[in-house]
Amino acid sequence: MKIFKNVLLIGFMFLSTLTAFSQSKVTGTVIDGDLNQPLAGANVVVKGTSTGTVTDFDGKFEISTTEKSGQIVVSYLGFVTKTISFTVTGNSVNLGNIVVAPDASQLQEIVVVGKGIIDLAADRKTPIAVSTIKAIEIQQKSGNWDLPELLKSTPSIQNVKGGGFGDGQMFLRGFDQTNTAFLLNGQPINGMEDGRMYWSNWSGVLDIANAIQVQRGLGSSKLAISSVGGTINVVTKTLDKNQGGFVQQMLANDNYTKTTAYYSTGLMKNGFAFSGMLGHWQGNGYIDGTHGQGQTYFLSFGYKAGEKDVLNFLVTGAPQWHGANNHMSLSTLLEKGRDYSDNYGTLNGEYYAGGRNFYHKPVLNLNWDHTFNQNVSLSTVLYGSFGRGGFEFLSGVGRNADGLYDFDTAVSSGVGYSKASVNAHNWFGLVSNLDYKLNDNFSFNVGFDGRMYNGQHYRNIVNFFGASSVNVTNNDQVGSYTITESYGYNPWDALFGSTPRNQRLDRDYEEQINYIGTFGQLEYAKDNFTAYFQGAVSTQSHQREGFFFAEEVGKSKKVNNLGYNLKAGGSYKVGDNHNVFANVGFYSRQPYHDDLFTNAAASNELNPYYDQNQEITGLEAGYQFKSQYISANLNLYHTIWDNRVLFDANDIDGDGVSDVFTQSSPAKQVHQGVELELFINPTNKLKMQGFVSVGDWKYVGNVTSSDYDDAGNLLSTGDTKYIDGVEIGNVAQFTAGFSANYEVLTRFNIDANWNHYNRMFGNTDLASSEWNDSANRGAIKLPSYNTVDAGVSYKWLLGKEKQNNLQFRVNINNLFDELYIENSRDNKHVDAGDDVWNGVDTSNRVKLGYGRTWNFSIRYNF
C-alpha cells in the first residue's frame, strides 16, 4: 500500500511538473480608446475556459494557460467587447496594446449620449492642464465623501470638509467653487444666482460617475461663459450595453451606513435600454450635532433609433437633511475636542439641530445625438431642475448650563420656534453643439447655450417649540397677520409643498434670470503641430421682484449685460516623448445676480457697478513628457481677475446666521503659479503619482465698500478697505502630494497617499472693521499640515466565466490623526499676552480638520 501511495505521489508530481512546463503566459495592456489611457479593472478571459484575470491600474494583464493558441476576450462595462487571437511561441506571447472603445452604435455607457457636449480634453488635440479620474478609482476612494475629497490629490486643488454632510468646499488655483464651472454630462450645475455648489444636493453623483475630469485654468470648455479657476466635468452612467448591476453596503465611523443598488437591462433587441439606482444613507456626523440622512436616485431611459440617432432621458436627485456646524474659537476646540459643537440640543430626549440644511433638487435631462455622416454630428441636451428646501435656524431658544440649546425649557415657557430661509427654484436650459470635420486638418464646432431661471426666496416656520404662533405686522402688501402653520424639514415635503404668502415672514422676493449664448471652436492639426481658436458671446438679463418690505415691493430695474470670451493656443510635439503648448484667453464675464444689488435679500437697489463686467486674462504654458515607465506634466499660469464685486457676510453674534453684509467693488486679484505632476510605473504591479503646486495669490489695490444689516438697512458707505497685497485666505498656496498603489497579490491592492498644505492664511472678511485701517497687519498665517490616507481592496471573481465579482474596500483617512486648522473665519493677530497655538491666537473662530476616520464597503457586481 505504501509503495502504491509513493507511485501515486511521484505520478502526481510528474504530471504537475509537466503541466507547469506546458503553461504559457499571455500578456498585454488594455487601453481606453476614449481617453487614450490604461483601462484598469477590465475582464480578460481565455475564450471557452474559466481562466481569466482583470487588468491592473496600468491596464496590464497576465494569464497562464495550457493553450498554445486560442482567443482571449476583453470586456468592460461601457466598452465594446473585443476578441483577440493569440499563438504562443516558446512559453509566452505579448499582445501589446489592446484598444477598446465606446461604441455609440450599441449604446455604450461611457461618453456616448451627449458626447459633443460633454467637455473632455480629448475633444481638443491642443493640450491643456488636465487630470482625469476614472471609474475604478472613484469607486474605491470616494467612500462616504463628496467629490472635492476625491480630487484633493490633483495639483492646485484643496478640499475643505466644512463640518456637516455635504458642506465641503473645493478651491482650484486659489479660486473657490463659485468661480469653477461644474458640469454634469454637459449640463451646468453651479447656482445661477451666485455660482455656489452645495454637495449635499449631489451626494449620489459618485455612485453613477464613470469619469471626472479636472481642467485647470482656461480648459477646453465649450460653454459660452467660462470659469476663472477651471472646469470640473462629471461624466455619469447613461446606458449599458450589457445587462447587469451592483449592490453595495457601506459602513463608516459615527454610525454611518449607506445601501445602494443599481440595475441595467442593457440594450434590448427593440433598441430600448433602462437603468436605475436607489440608495439610502444616514449617520451621526463626525462633528457633534451634525446628524443627517438622505436618499439618492437615478433613472435612465435610452433608445437607439436606427444607426444615426441615440436618445436618452435621465433623472437624478439626492433629497437630504443634515445638521450644520459653526466656526468656534480655537481655544474651545482645543479644550473640548475637534469634534465639538454647541449648535444643537435635545427636544424630548431626541437630538435637534440648531442649524440644519434640507433640500431636494431633482435634475432631468433629455439628450439627443444625431450623426449626419462621418464628418458631421449634432449633440443636444434639454434639461431642467426643481430645487426646494432651505436652511433652518432658531429664534427665542436659550441655552442650558452645558452651553447647548435648551428646547425643553423653550417648550415649557411657551416661547421659541425655528424658521427657514427657503430657496425654491425652477431652472430650464438647452445646450447644443454641432461638430464638423472640414478636412484632414481642420475641424470646427459651433453651439448654443440657453437658460431660464426663476428663484423664490422667503422664510417660513419649520417648527414651533414653545410658541404657538408668530405675529407679522410689517408686511405692507398683505397687511398684519398671524402665522400658525409649520412646515418641517422633510426634503420630500419641501419638494411637493408650498407656503402661502400669509404664512411667510421676514422676506419674500423672486428673481428672474435669462441667459443666451453661442460659442465656436476651430482647430488645425497637421503632423506635430496643432492650434485652436475659441470664441463665445452671451447676454444675461436679471430682474428682482419683492413682495414684503416697503423697500423691496415691486420690480427692480431690468439689467441686461453682454459678455464674451476669446481663447487661443497651440502645441508642438517633439519626437515621440515631448510636447510643449501655450494658451491665452480673455473673458468679459457678467457679474452674478447677487452681485448686482446692494443687498440681494432686502432691496431692489442696484450696485453702482451693476453694468460693469469682470475682466479675466489668462496665460498658461506647459510641457508634457511621456514614456513607458514615467510621465510628467509641467504647467505655468498667470491669471488676472479684475473689476469684480466682493461680497462678505459676517456672523457677529456667532449664532450661525449672518448679521452684517458688505459689498466692495471694484476688486482685483492676481493668481500665478507652477504645477508639476509625475506618473511613475516601474512595474505592472506598482503605480506611483506625485505633484507639487506653488502658487502666489494676492489682492491688488484697495476697494470701496458699503455695509448693510439683514433687513437691508445701510449701516455705512464709502469705506476704503485696505487689502492691497493681502494674500488670498483660507486656501493653501503651496500643496504637494504623493500616492502609491501596489498589487500585493492578484486583485489584492494596498494604496496610500500623502498630502501637504502650506502657506495658508486667515479669512479676508471685509465685513470686519480691521481692513478700514491702512496700517492693518494683513492676513494671519495658519500652520501647515500633512494628511496620510490609506486603503486596501480585493476583488473576488465569480461565475463560470468570471463575469461577476465581489469587491471589498477599506479606507482610512488622516491615518495618523493629525490635528490641524482647516480654515479661520477671523483674522486676529497675536499680541503680547495672547493664548497661542502653533502661532495662531486661540480666540480666532476656526474649523479644525477631521481626525482619523474610516469606511468599509462590500460590493457585488453582476
Side-chain angles (χ1 to χ4, degrees), residues 75-362:
S75 63
Y76 189 86
L77 191 63
F79 289 82
V80 178
T81 298
K82 196 163 189 176
T83 301
I84 304 293
S85 299
F86 69 87
T87 300
V88 178
T89 301
N91 293 323
S92 65
V93 60
N94 189 327
L95 301 179
N97 289 343
I98 302 172
V99 179
V100 291
D103 185 355
S105 67
Q106 299 187 52
L107 279 181
Q108 302 294 341
E109 68 167 346
I110 299 179
V111 198
V112 172
V113 181
K115 183 173 182 179
I117 293 172
I118 296 173
D119 283 321
L120 292 178
D123 294 340
R124 197 178 76 194
K125 295 180 181 179
T126 305
I128 57 173
V130 63
S131 301
T132 302
I133 301 173
K134 295 302 294 290
I136 189 169
E137 187 174 354
I138 296 170
Q139 291 177 15
Q140 290 185 345
K141 294 189 176 181
S142 59
N144 57 333
W145 300 112
D146 299 315
L147 175 63
E149 177 71 14
L150 189 63
L151 301 179
K152 68 181 183 181
S153 292
T154 301
S156 294
I157 284 186
Q158 183 180 0
N159 169 52
V160 177
K161 295 184 180 65
F165 290 107
D167 287 341
Q169 294 285 313
M170 191 200 80
F171 294 86
L172 177 55
R173 287 185 174 176
F175 301 102
D176 65 16
Q177 294 179 157
T178 65
N179 298 293
T180 299
F182 292 89
L183 304 174
L184 181 67
N185 291 341
Q187 172 185 335
I189 57 176
N190 292 78
M192 280 285 287
E193 300 173 9
D194 51 20
R196 294 185 182 183
M197 283 293 297
Y198 298 94
W199 293 110
S200 53
N201 296 334
W202 307 98
S203 61
V205 71
L206 295 181
D207 294 322
I208 54 174
N210 278 319
I212 299 170
Q213 189 174 88
V214 180
Q215 300 177 10
R216 299 184 294 277
L218 297 175
S220 61
S221 172
K222 298 173 184 175
L223 292 180
I225 289 185
S226 296
S227 63
V228 184
T231 305
I232 309 295
N233 304 291
V234 181
V235 182
T236 72
K237 295 177 181 293
T238 52
L239 301 173
D240 300 329
K241 175 188 174 185
N242 301 315
Q243 181 183 17
F246 69 84
V247 178
Q248 178 172 291
Q249 179 63 52
M250 180 180 294
L251 301 174
N253 53 278
D254 299 292
N255 294 321
Y256 180 90
T257 179
K258 180 180 180 180
T259 305
T260 310
Y262 170 83
Y263 173 72
S264 172
T265 64
L267 180 64
M268 296 181 285
K269 292 181 178 179
N270 59 7
F272 286 93
F274 165 80
S275 59
M277 182 198 72
L278 293 174
H280 175 84
W281 65 269
Q282 62 186 53
N284 294 344
Y286 180 83
I287 307 296
D288 294 343
T290 58
H291 293 55
Q293 71 172 39
Q295 296 77 45
T296 59
Y297 58 86
F298 163 81
L299 297 172
S300 176
F301 301 87
Y303 178 60
K304 177 180 179 290
E307 297 300 322
K308 293 188 175 182
D309 294 284
V310 177
L311 294 97
N312 185 72
F313 174 76
L314 179 151
V315 57
T316 184
Q320 59 77 40
W321 63 262
H322 68 273
N325 176 39
N326 293 332
H327 287 78
M328 302 195 70
S329 70
L330 177 57
S331 59
T332 299
L333 293 174
L334 292 173
E335 175 189 355
K336 298 188 175 183
R338 73 180 87 184
D339 57 354
Y340 176 75
S341 172
D342 62 359
N343 196 30
Y344 73 104
T346 58
L347 177 62
N348 298 323
E350 299 291 332
Y351 150 86
Y352 201 95
R356 184 195 322 264
N357 174 285
F358 61 99
Y359 215 77
H360 190 176
K361 183 187 175 73

Side-chain angles (χ1 to χ4, degrees), residues 410-411 414-417 464-470:
V411 171
V415 299
Y417 56 90
F464 288 111
F465 300 119
S468 59
S469 63
V470 175

Side-chain angles (χ1 to χ4, degrees), residues 441-462:
N441 302 122
F442 284 96
S443 59
F444 175 70
N445 73 68
V446 63
F448 170 84
D449 182 5
R451 313 173 201 176
M452 296 185 297
Y453 178 92
N454 173 260
Q456 304 172 35
H457 300 268
Y458 56 87
R459 286 180 177 166
N460 65 11
I461 300 298
V462 174

